[in-house]
Amino acid sequence: NKGLKITTLSMQKKQLNEAISKLEIEAKDGRVLAMHFLGKAYFNLWKYPEAFAWFTAASKHGFWRSSNSKLTSGTTSSFSAAFR
């Protein structure tokens, strides 16, 4: 079964690299979710400096996610609630 596991891992790496090439186009156009998902893709490839750079870019462009974030009215944001 080692051969199957290696094939699966190489397929995952190939899929992540394909996703990265598509996401980079979107991220360079300023799309925040693309920046965030680029960070996740690089993180899963163990390319931590690249992941950190894209997570930082997404954050600077307004990406945020917090289960404890509240609106000024004291209610939980529907956006953050959807991603808990």
Side-chain angles (χ1 to χ4, degrees):
N1 268 351
K2 278 188 176 182
L4 178 62
K5 187 174 184 177
I6 291 170
T7 302
T8 303
L9 290 175
S10 67
M11 288 174 57
Q12 288 175 346
K13 185 176 179 179
K14 181 181 176 187
Q15 290 172 336
L16 284 171
N17 284 320
E18 289 173 5
I20 286 170
S21 66
K22 293 176 184 177
L23 286 168
E24 281 181 341
I25 295 167
E26 299 296 318
K28 289 176 183 176
D29 281 341
R31 290 179 174 80
V32 178
L33 283 177
M35 295 175 195
H36 174 73
F37 284 109
L38 265 172
K40 290 182 81 165
Y42 278 119
F43 188 86
N44 284 313
L45 289 171
W46 297 6
K47 295 183 177 183
Y48 300 126
E50 292 91 339
F52 180 75
W54 282 112
F55 286 139
T56 301
S59 177
K60 287 181 179 180
H61 284 86
F63 183 87
W64 61 273
R65 185 176 106 180
S66 172
S67 61
N68 294 323
S69 66
K70 302 281 182 180
L71 298 175
T72 54
S73 65
T75 59
T76 303
S77 159
S78 59
F79 177 79
S80 64
F83 290 95
R84 285 192 200 161

Coordinates of all heavy atoms in Angstrom, one line a residue:
N1 N 0.8 -1.2 0.0 CA 0.0 0.0 0.0 C 0.8 1.3 0.0 O 0.3 2.4 -0.1 CB -1.0 0.0 1.2 CG -2.3 -0.6 0.8 OD1 -2.6 -0.8 -0.3 ND2 -3.1 -0.7 1.8
K2 N 2.2 1.2 0.2 CA 3.0 2.4 0.1 C 2.9 3.0 -1.2 O 2.9 4.2 -1.3 CB 4.5 2.0 0.5 CG 4.7 1.9 1.9 CD 6.2 1.8 2.2 CE 6.5 1.7 3.7 NZ 7.9 1.7 3.9
G3 N 2.9 2.3 -2.3 CA 2.8 2.8 -3.6 C 1.5 3.7 -3.8 O 1.6 4.7 -4.4
L4 N 0.4 3.2 -3.2 CA -0.8 3.9 -3.3 C -0.7 5.2 -2.6 O -1.2 6.2 -3.1 CB -2.0 3.0 -2.8 CG -3.4 3.7 -2.8 CD1 -3.8 4.0 -4.2 CD2 -4.4 2.8 -2.1
K5 N -0.1 5.2 -1.4 CA 0.0 6.4 -0.6 C 0.9 7.4 -1.3 O 0.5 8.6 -1.3 CB 0.5 6.1 0.8 CG 0.5 7.2 1.7 CD 1.0 6.8 3.1 CE 0.9 8.0 4.1 NZ 1.2 7.6 5.4
I6 N 2.0 7.0 -1.9 CA 2.9 7.9 -2.6 C 2.2 8.5 -3.8 O 2.3 9.7 -4.0 CB 4.2 7.2 -3.0 CG1 5.0 6.9 -1.7 CG2 5.0 8.0 -3.9 CD1 6.2 6.0 -2.0
T7 N 1.4 7.7 -4.5 CA 0.7 8.2 -5.6 C -0.3 9.2 -5.2 O -0.5 10.3 -5.8 CB 0.0 7.0 -6.4 OG1 0.9 6.1 -6.8 CG2 -0.8 7.5 -7.6
T8 N -1.0 9.0 -4.1 CA -2.0 9.9 -3.6 C -1.4 11.2 -3.2 O -1.9 12.3 -3.5 CB -2.8 9.3 -2.4 OG1 -3.4 8.1 -2.8 CG2 -3.8 10.2 -1.9
L9 N -0.2 11.2 -2.5 CA 0.5 12.4 -2.1 C 1.0 13.1 -3.3 O 0.9 14.4 -3.4 CB 1.6 12.0 -1.2 CG 1.2 11.5 0.2 CD1 2.5 11.1 1.0 CD2 0.5 12.6 0.9
S10 N 1.5 12.4 -4.3 CA 2.0 13.2 -5.5 C 0.8 13.8 -6.3 O 0.9 14.9 -6.9 CB 2.8 12.2 -6.4 OG 2.0 11.2 -7.0
M11 N -0.3 13.1 -6.3 CA -1.5 13.7 -6.9 C -2.0 14.9 -6.2 O -2.4 15.9 -6.8 CB -2.7 12.7 -7.0 CG -2.4 11.6 -8.0 SD -3.6 10.3 -8.0 CE -5.2 11.2 -8.3
Q12 N -2.0 14.9 -4.8 CA -2.3 16.1 -4.1 C -1.4 17.2 -4.3 O -1.8 18.4 -4.5 CB -2.3 15.7 -2.6 CG -3.5 14.8 -2.2 CD -3.4 14.4 -0.7 OE1 -2.3 14.6 -0.1 NE2 -4.5 13.9 -0.2
K13 N -0.1 16.9 -4.4 CA 0.9 18.0 -4.7 C 0.6 18.6 -6.1 O 0.7 19.8 -6.2 CB 2.3 17.4 -4.6 CG 3.4 18.4 -4.7 CD 4.7 17.8 -4.6 CE 5.8 18.9 -4.7 NZ 7.1 18.4 -4.5
K14 N 0.3 17.8 -7.0 CA 0.0 18.3 -8.4 C -1.2 19.1 -8.4 O -1.2 20.2 -9.0 CB -0.1 17.1 -9.3 CG -0.4 17.5 -10.8 CD -0.6 16.3 -11.7 CE -1.0 16.7 -13.1 NZ -1.3 15.6 -13.9
Q15 N -2.3 18.7 -7.7 CA -3.5 19.5 -7.6 C -3.3 20.8 -6.9 O -3.8 21.8 -7.3 CB -4.6 18.7 -6.9 CG -5.1 17.5 -7.7 CD -6.0 16.6 -6.9 OE1 -6.0 16.6 -5.6 NE2 -6.9 15.9 -7.6
L16 N -2.5 20.8 -5.9 CA -2.2 22.1 -5.2 C -1.4 23.0 -6.1 O -1.7 24.2 -6.1 CB -1.4 21.8 -3.9 CG -2.2 21.3 -2.7 CD1 -1.3 20.8 -1.6 CD2 -3.2 22.3 -2.2
N17 N -0.4 22.5 -6.8 CA 0.3 23.3 -7.7 C -0.5 23.9 -8.8 O -0.4 25.1 -9.2 CB 1.5 22.6 -8.3 CG 2.6 22.4 -7.3 OD1 2.9 23.4 -6.5 ND2 3.3 21.3 -7.2
E18 N -1.5 23.1 -9.3 CA -2.4 23.6 -10.3 C -3.3 24.7 -9.7 O -3.6 25.7 -10.4 CB -3.3 22.5 -10.9 CG -2.6 21.5 -11.8 CD -3.4 20.3 -12.1 OE1 -4.6 20.2 -11.8 OE2 -2.9 19.4 -12.8
A19 N -3.8 24.5 -8.5 CA -4.6 25.5 -7.8 C -3.8 26.8 -7.6 O -4.3 27.9 -7.8 CB -5.1 25.0 -6.5
I20 N -2.5 26.7 -7.2 CA -1.7 27.8 -7.0 C -1.5 28.7 -8.3 O -1.7 29.9 -8.2 CB -0.3 27.4 -6.5 CG1 -0.4 27.0 -5.0 CG2 0.7 28.5 -6.6 CD1 0.8 26.3 -4.4
S21 N -1.3 28.0 -9.4 CA -1.2 28.8 -10.6 C -2.4 29.6 -11.0 O -2.4 30.7 -11.5 CB -0.8 27.8 -11.8 OG -1.8 26.9 -12.1
K22 N -3.6 29.0 -10.7 CA -4.9 29.7 -11.0 C -5.1 30.8 -9.9 O -5.6 31.9 -10.2 CB -6.0 28.7 -11.0 CG -5.9 27.8 -12.2 CD -7.0 26.8 -12.2 CE -6.8 25.8 -13.4 NZ -7.7 24.7 -13.4
L23 N -4.8 30.5 -8.7 CA -5.1 31.4 -7.6 C -4.2 32.7 -7.7 O -4.6 33.8 -7.3 CB -4.9 30.8 -6.2 CG -6.1 29.8 -5.8 CD1 -5.6 29.0 -4.6 CD2 -7.3 30.6 -5.5
E24 N -2.9 32.5 -8.1 CA -2.0 33.6 -8.2 C -2.5 34.7 -9.1 O -2.4 35.9 -8.9 CB -0.6 33.1 -8.6 CG 0.1 32.5 -7.5 CD 1.5 32.0 -7.9 OE1 1.8 31.9 -9.1 OE2 2.3 31.9 -7.0
I25 N -3.2 34.3 -10.2 CA -3.8 35.2 -11.2 C -4.8 36.1 -10.4 O -4.8 37.3 -10.6 CB -4.4 34.5 -12.4 CG1 -3.2 33.8 -13.2 CG2 -5.1 35.5 -13.3 CD1 -3.7 32.9 -14.2
E26 N -5.7 35.4 -9.7 CA -6.8 36.1 -9.0 C -6.2 37.0 -7.9 O -6.7 38.1 -7.7 CB -7.8 35.1 -8.5 CG -8.5 34.2 -9.5 CD -9.3 35.1 -10.5 OE1 -10.0 36.0 -10.0 OE2 -9.3 34.8 -11.7
A27 N -5.3 36.4 -7.1 CA -4.7 37.2 -6.0 C -4.0 38.4 -6.5 O -4.1 39.5 -5.8 CB -3.7 36.3 -5.2
K28 N -3.3 38.4 -7.6 CA -2.6 39.5 -8.1 C -3.6 40.6 -8.6 O -3.2 41.7 -8.7 CB -1.6 39.1 -9.2 CG -0.4 38.4 -8.6 CD 0.5 37.8 -9.6 CE 1.6 37.0 -9.0 NZ 2.5 36.4 -9.9
D29 N -4.8 40.2 -8.9 CA -5.9 41.1 -9.2 C -6.5 41.7 -8.0 O -7.5 42.5 -8.1 CB -6.9 40.5 -10.1 CG -6.5 40.4 -11.5 OD1 -5.6 41.1 -11.9 OD2 -7.1 39.5 -12.3
G30 N -6.1 41.3 -6.8 CA -6.5 41.9 -5.5 C -7.7 41.1 -4.9 O -8.3 41.6 -3.9
R31 N -7.9 39.9 -5.3 CA -9.0 39.1 -4.7 C -8.5 38.5 -3.4 O -7.6 37.6 -3.4 CB -9.5 38.1 -5.7 CG -10.2 38.8 -6.8 CD -10.7 37.8 -7.8 NE -11.6 38.4 -8.8 CZ -11.1 39.1 -9.9 NH1 -9.8 39.3 -10.0 NH2 -11.9 39.7 -10.7
V32 N -9.1 38.9 -2.3 CA -8.7 38.6 -0.9 C -8.8 37.1 -0.7 O -7.9 36.5 -0.1 CB -9.4 39.4 0.1 CG1 -9.0 39.0 1.5 CG2 -9.2 40.9 -0.1
L33 N -9.9 36.5 -1.0 CA -10.0 35.0 -0.8 C -9.0 34.2 -1.5 O -8.5 33.2 -1.0 CB -11.4 34.6 -1.1 CG -12.5 34.9 -0.1 CD1 -13.9 34.5 -0.6 CD2 -12.2 34.3 1.2
A34 N -8.6 34.6 -2.7 CA -7.6 34.0 -3.5 C -6.3 34.0 -2.7 O -5.5 33.1 -2.6 CB -7.4 34.5 -4.9
M35 N -6.0 35.2 -2.1 CA -4.8 35.4 -1.3 C -4.8 34.4 -0.1 O -3.8 33.7 0.1 CB -4.7 36.8 -0.8 CG -4.5 37.8 -1.8 SD -4.5 39.5 -1.1 CE -4.7 40.5 -2.5
H36 N -5.9 34.3 0.5 CA -6.0 33.4 1.7 C -5.8 32.0 1.3 O -5.1 31.2 1.9 CB -7.4 33.6 2.4 CG -7.6 32.6 3.5 ND1 -7.0 32.7 4.7 CD2 -8.4 31.5 3.5 CE1 -7.4 31.7 5.4 NE2 -8.3 31.0 4.8
F37 N -6.5 31.6 0.2 CA -6.4 30.2 -0.2 C -5.0 29.8 -0.8 O -4.5 28.7 -0.7 CB -7.5 29.8 -1.2 CG -8.8 29.6 -0.5 CD1 -9.8 30.5 -0.6 CD2 -9.0 28.5 0.4 CE1 -11.0 30.3 0.1 CE2 -10.2 28.3 1.1 CZ -11.2 29.2 0.9
L38 N -4.3 30.8 -1.3 CA -2.9 30.6 -1.7 C -2.1 30.3 -0.5 O -1.2 29.4 -0.5 CB -2.4 31.9 -2.4 CG -2.4 31.9 -3.9 CD1 -2.0 33.3 -4.4 CD2 -1.6 30.9 -4.5
G39 N -2.3 31.1 0.6 CA -1.6 30.8 1.8 C -1.9 29.4 2.3 O -0.9 28.7 2.7
K40 N -3.1 28.9 2.2 CA -3.4 27.5 2.6 C -2.8 26.5 1.7 O -2.3 25.5 2.2 CB -4.9 27.3 2.6 CG -5.7 28.1 3.7 CD -7.1 27.9 3.7 CE -7.4 26.5 4.4 NZ -8.8 26.3 4.8
A41 N -2.7 26.8 0.4 CA -2.1 25.8 -0.5 C -0.6 25.7 -0.3 O -0.1 24.6 -0.2 CB -2.4 26.3 -2.0
Y42 N 0.0 26.9 -0.1 CA 1.5 26.8 0.2 C 1.8 26.2 1.5 O 2.7 25.4 1.7 CB 2.1 28.2 0.1 CG 2.4 28.7 -1.3 CD1 1.8 29.9 -1.8 CD2 3.3 28.1 -2.1 CE1 2.1 30.3 -3.1 CE2 3.6 28.5 -3.3 CZ 3.0 29.6 -3.8 OH 3.3 30.1 -5.1
F43 N 0.9 26.4 2.5 CA 1.1 25.8 3.8 C 1.0 24.3 3.7 O 1.8 23.6 4.3 CB 0.0 26.3 4.8 CG 0.2 25.9 6.2 CD1 1.0 26.6 7.0 CD2 -0.4 24.7 6.7 CE1 1.2 26.2 8.4 CE2 -0.2 24.3 8.0 CZ 0.6 25.1 8.8
N44 N 0.1 23.8 2.9 CA 0.0 22.3 2.7 C 1.1 21.7 2.0 O 1.3 20.5 2.0 CB -1.4 22.0 2.1 CG -2.5 22.1 3.0 OD1 -2.5 21.6 4.1 ND2 -3.6 22.8 2.6
L45 N 1.8 22.6 1.2 CA 3.0 22.1 0.5 C 4.3 22.3 1.4 O 5.4 22.1 0.9 CB 3.2 22.8 -0.8 CG 2.2 22.5 -1.9 CD1 2.3 23.4 -3.1 CD2 2.4 21.0 -2.3
W46 N 4.1 22.7 2.6 CA 5.2 23.0 3.6 C 6.1 24.2 3.1 O 7.3 24.3 3.4 CB 6.0 21.8 3.8 CG 5.3 20.7 4.5 CD1 4.0 20.6 4.8 CD2 5.8 19.5 5.0 NE1 3.7 19.4 5.4 CE2 4.8 18.7 5.5 CE3 7.1 18.9 5.0 CZ2 5.0 17.4 6.0 CZ3 7.3 17.7 5.5 CH2 6.3 16.9 6.1
K47 N 5.5 25.1 2.3 CA 6.3 26.3 1.9 C 5.8 27.4 2.8 O 5.0 28.3 2.3 CB 6.0 26.5 0.4 CG 6.5 25.4 -0.5 CD 6.3 25.8 -2.0 CE 6.9 24.7 -2.8 NZ 6.8 25.0 -4.3
Y48 N 6.3 27.4 4.0 CA 5.8 28.3 5.0 C 6.1 29.8 4.7 O 5.2 30.6 5.0 CB 6.3 27.9 6.4 CG 5.9 26.5 6.7 CD1 6.8 25.5 7.1 CD2 4.5 26.1 6.7 CE1 6.4 24.2 7.5 CE2 4.1 24.8 7.0 CZ 5.0 23.9 7.4 OH 4.6 22.6 7.7
P49 N 7.2 30.2 4.2 CA 7.5 31.6 3.9 C 6.4 32.1 2.9 O 5.9 33.2 3.1 CB 8.9 31.7 3.4 CG 9.6 30.4 4.0 CD 8.5 29.4 4.0
E50 N 6.2 31.4 1.9 CA 5.2 31.8 0.9 C 3.8 31.8 1.5 O 3.0 32.8 1.2 CB 5.2 30.8 -0.3 CG 6.4 30.9 -1.2 CD 7.5 29.9 -0.7 OE1 7.4 29.4 0.4 OE2 8.4 29.6 -1.6
A51 N 3.5 30.8 2.3 CA 2.2 30.8 3.0 C 2.0 32.1 3.9 O 1.0 32.7 3.8 CB 2.0 29.6 3.8
F52 N 3.0 32.4 4.6 CA 2.9 33.5 5.5 C 2.8 34.8 4.7 O 2.0 35.7 5.1 CB 4.2 33.6 6.4 CG 4.2 34.8 7.3 CD1 3.4 34.7 8.5 CD2 5.0 35.9 7.1 CE1 3.4 35.8 9.3 CE2 5.0 37.0 7.9 CZ 4.2 36.9 9.1
A53 N 3.5 34.9 3.6 CA 3.4 36.1 2.8 C 2.0 36.3 2.3 O 1.4 37.4 2.3 CB 4.4 36.0 1.6
W54 N 1.3 35.2 1.8 CA 0.0 35.3 1.3 C -1.1 35.6 2.4 O -2.0 36.3 2.2 CB -0.4 34.1 0.4 CG 0.2 34.3 -0.9 CD1 1.2 33.5 -1.5 CD2 -0.1 35.2 -1.9 NE1 1.6 33.9 -2.7 CE2 0.8 35.0 -3.0 CE3 -1.0 36.3 -2.0 CZ2 0.7 35.8 -4.2 CZ3 -1.0 37.1 -3.2 CH2 -0.2 36.8 -4.2
F55 N -0.9 34.9 3.5 CA -1.8 35.2 4.7 C -1.7 36.6 5.1 O -2.7 37.3 5.4 CB -1.5 34.3 5.9 CG -1.9 32.8 5.7 CD1 -1.1 31.8 6.1 CD2 -3.1 32.5 5.1 CE1 -1.5 30.5 6.0 CE2 -3.5 31.2 5.0 CZ -2.7 30.2 5.4
T56 N -0.5 37.2 5.1 CA -0.3 38.6 5.5 C -0.9 39.5 4.5 O -1.6 40.5 4.8 CB 1.2 38.9 5.6 OG1 1.8 38.0 6.6 CG2 1.5 40.3 6.0
A57 N -0.8 39.2 3.2 CA -1.4 40.0 2.1 C -2.9 40.0 2.3 O -3.5 41.1 2.2 CB -0.9 39.5 0.8
A58 N -3.5 38.8 2.5 CA -4.9 38.8 2.7 C -5.4 39.6 3.9 O -6.4 40.3 3.8 CB -5.3 37.3 2.8
S59 N -4.6 39.5 4.9 CA -5.0 40.3 6.1 C -4.9 41.8 5.9 O -5.8 42.5 6.3 CB -4.0 39.9 7.3 OG -4.3 40.7 8.4
K60 N -3.9 42.2 5.2 CA -3.7 43.6 4.9 C -4.8 44.1 3.9 O -5.1 45.3 3.9 CB -2.3 43.9 4.3 CG -1.2 43.8 5.3 CD 0.1 44.1 4.7 CE 1.2 44.0 5.7 NZ 2.5 44.3 5.1
H61 N -5.4 43.2 3.2 CA -6.5 43.6 2.2 C -7.8 43.4 2.8 O -8.8 43.4 2.1 CB -6.3 42.8 0.9 CG -5.2 43.4 0.1 ND1 -3.9 43.0 0.2 CD2 -5.2 44.3 -0.9 CE1 -3.2 43.6 -0.7 NE2 -4.0 44.4 -1.4
G62 N -7.9 43.1 4.1 CA -9.2 43.1 4.8 C -9.7 41.7 5.1 O -10.8 41.6 5.7
F63 N -9.0 40.6 4.9 CA -9.5 39.3 5.2 C -9.4 39.1 6.7 O -8.4 39.4 7.3 CB -8.7 38.2 4.6 CG -9.2 36.8 4.8 CD1 -10.2 36.3 4.1 CD2 -8.8 36.1 5.9 CE1 -10.8 35.0 4.3 CE2 -9.3 34.8 6.2 CZ -10.3 34.3 5.4
W64 N -10.5 38.7 7.3 CA -10.5 38.5 8.8 C -11.5 37.3 9.1 O -12.5 37.2 8.4 CB -10.8 39.7 9.6 CG -12.2 40.3 9.3 CD1 -12.5 41.2 8.3 CD2 -13.4 39.9 9.9 NE1 -13.8 41.4 8.3 CE2 -14.4 40.7 9.3 CE3 -13.8 39.1 11.0 CZ2 -15.8 40.6 9.6 CZ3 -15.1 39.0 11.3 CH2 -16.1 39.8 10.7
R65 N -11.2 36.6 10.1 CA -12.1 35.5 10.5 C -11.8 35.3 11.9 O -10.7 35.0 12.4 CB -11.8 34.3 9.7 CG -12.8 33.2 10.0 CD -12.5 32.0 9.1 NE -11.9 31.0 9.9 CZ -11.6 29.8 9.4 NH1 -11.7 29.5 8.2 NH2 -11.0 28.9 10.2
S66 N -12.8 35.5 12.7 CA -12.7 35.3 14.1 C -14.0 34.8 14.7 O -15.1 35.4 14.5 CB -12.3 36.5 14.8 OG -12.4 36.4 16.2
S67 N -14.0 33.7 15.4 CA -15.3 33.2 16.0 C -15.8 34.1 17.1 O -16.9 34.0 17.6 CB -15.1 31.8 16.5 OG -14.1 31.8 17.5
N68 N -14.9 35.0 17.6 CA -15.3 35.9 18.7 C -15.6 37.3 18.3 O -15.8 38.1 19.1 CB -14.2 35.9 19.8 CG -14.0 34.6 20.5 OD1 -15.0 33.9 20.7 ND2 -12.8 34.2 20.7
S69 N -15.5 37.5 17.0 CA -15.7 38.9 16.6 C -17.2 39.3 16.7 O -18.1 38.5 16.5 CB -15.3 39.1 15.1 OG -16.1 38.3 14.3
K70 N -17.4 40.5 17.1 CA -18.8 41.0 17.3 C -19.0 42.3 16.5 O -18.0 43.1 16.4 CB -19.1 41.3 18.8 CG -18.9 40.1 19.7 CD -20.1 39.2 19.7 CE -19.9 38.0 20.6 NZ -21.0 37.2 20.6
L71 N -20.1 42.6 16.1 CA -20.5 43.8 15.5 C -20.7 44.8 16.6 O -20.9 44.5 17.8 CB -21.7 43.7 14.6 CG -21.5 42.8 13.4 CD1 -22.9 42.7 12.6 CD2 -20.5 43.3 12.4
T72 N -20.8 46.1 16.3 CA -20.9 47.1 17.4 C -22.3 46.9 18.1 O -22.4 47.3 19.2 CB -20.8 48.5 16.8 OG1 -21.8 48.6 15.7 CG2 -19.4 48.8 16.3
S73 N -23.3 46.3 17.4 CA -24.6 46.1 18.0 C -24.5 45.0 19.0 O -25.5 44.8 19.8 CB -25.6 45.8 17.0 OG -25.3 44.6 16.3
G74 N -23.4 44.2 19.1 CA -23.3 43.1 20.0 C -23.8 41.8 19.4 O -23.7 40.8 20.1
T75 N -24.2 41.8 18.2 CA -24.6 40.5 17.6 C -23.4 39.9 16.8 O -22.5 40.6 16.4 CB -25.8 40.7 16.6 OG1 -25.4 41.6 15.6 CG2 -27.0 41.2 17.3
T76 N -23.4 38.6 16.7 CA -22.3 37.9 15.9 C -22.5 38.2 14.5 O -23.6 38.1 13.9 CB -22.3 36.4 16.2 OG1 -22.2 36.2 17.6 CG2 -21.2 35.7 15.5
S77 N -21.5 38.5 13.8 CA -21.5 38.7 12.3 C -21.9 37.4 11.7 O -21.5 36.3 12.0 CB -20.1 39.1 11.9 OG -19.9 38.8 10.5
S78 N -22.8 37.5 10.7 CA -23.3 36.3 10.0 C -22.1 35.7 9.2 O -22.1 34.5 9.0 CB -24.4 36.7 9.0 OG -24.0 37.7 8.1
F79 N -21.2 36.6 8.7 CA -20.0 36.0 8.0 C -19.2 35.1 8.9 O -18.9 34.0 8.6 CB -19.2 37.2 7.5 CG -17.9 36.7 6.7 CD1 -18.0 36.2 5.4 CD2 -16.7 36.7 7.4 CE1 -16.9 35.8 4.8 CE2 -15.6 36.3 6.7 CZ -15.7 35.8 5.4
S80 N -18.9 35.6 10.1 CA -18.0 34.8 11.0 C -18.8 33.6 11.5 O -18.2 32.6 11.7 CB -17.5 35.7 12.1 OG -18.5 36.1 13.0
A81 N -20.1 33.8 11.7 CA -20.9 32.6 12.2 C -20.9 31.5 11.1 O -20.9 30.3 11.5 CB -22.3 33.1 12.5
A82 N -20.9 31.9 9.9 CA -20.9 30.8 8.8 C -19.7 30.0 8.7 O -19.7 28.9 8.2 CB -21.2 31.5 7.5
F83 N -18.5 30.5 9.3 CA -17.3 29.9 9.2 C -16.8 29.3 10.5 O -15.6 29.0 10.6 CB -16.2 30.8 8.6 CG -16.5 31.1 7.1 CD1 -17.2 32.2 6.7 CD2 -16.1 30.2 6.2 CE1 -17.4 32.5 5.4 CE2 -16.4 30.4 4.8 CZ -17.0 31.6 4.5
R84 N -17.6 29.1 11.4 CA -17.2 28.5 12.7 C -17.1 27.0 12.6 O -17.7 26.3 11.8 CB -18.2 28.8 13.8 CG -18.1 30.2 14.2 CD -18.9 30.4 15.5 NE -19.1 31.8 15.6 CZ -20.0 32.3 16.3 NH1 -20.8 31.6 17.0 NH2 -20.2 33.6 16.4

